[in-house]
Amino acid sequence: QVQLVESGGGLVQPGSSLRLSCAAVASTSPFDVYAVAWFRQAPGKGREGISCISSTGEDTYYSDSVKGRFTISRDNVKRTVYLQMDSLKSEDPAVYYCAAAPARPPYNPDYVFSESEYDDWGQGTQVTVSS
């Protein structure tokens, strides 16, 4: 089990960048056993998986909606996963959540964005894109 805290959200203009952080503030296992994913939920919509990083950091996954604009990374010493969001668009505003699950690679790409695969979730951070 791991307790996750997101930060870095805010209000930005279209085309701008933000970097979100997901910090593991407490866990029953070493951080480097956890795969971590970012999900987002816009008002009136379901939760969408957008990026995932393997426990080792060697493998990354992106949804088509963010591929080429967002970059996920992790620092296992700092127990933190980052989501660098560039070229933000009007369709990106949402509450962004990180989630973790103990999982050793390789992963099945069909399941990395399945909510049921993740045991622990952060409280979310709001991202707003507006001119």
Side-chain angles (χ1 to χ4, degrees):
Q1 191 171 14
V2 58
Q3 183 179 352
L4 303 170
V5 177
E6 302 98 333
S7 61
L11 169 63
V12 296
Q13 294 184 338
S16 298
S17 298
L18 273 178
R19 189 176 80 157
L20 304 183
S21 298
C22 171
V25 298
S27 66
T28 56
S29 299
F31 186 60
D32 63 3
V33 307
Y34 292 98
V36 176
W38 285 96
F39 291 77
R40 67 184 181 185
Q41 187 166 22
K45 296 187 177 181
R47 196 170 292 184
E48 174 193 17
I50 58 172
S51 189
C52 174
I53 189 165
S54 65
S55 57
T56 62
E58 293 181 356
D59 301 304
T60 58
Y61 307 82
Y62 298 95
S63 67
D64 289 342
S65 59
V66 306
K67 193 175 297 181
R69 300 188 298 123
F70 292 8
T71 304
I72 193 170
S73 62
R74 68 188 294 159
D75 184 332
N76 283 340
V77 173
K78 295 183 177 180
R79 300 164 57 88
T80 302
V81 169
Y82 304 98
L83 186 67
Q84 177 67 40
M85 307 188 296
D86 297 321
S87 303
L88 283 162
K89 300 179 179 180
S90 58
E91 55 262 42
D92 292 322
V95 177
Y96 283 68
Y97 301 89
C98 63
R104 298 190 182 278
Y107 305 148
N108 185 333
D110 292 338
Y111 294 100
V112 294
F113 296 143
S114 174
E115 293 182 56
S116 62
E117 294 295 310
Y118 296 90
D119 306 310
D120 300 294
W121 293 76
Q123 82 290 348
T125 185
Q126 177 72 52
V127 172
T128 303
V129 181
S130 176
S131 55

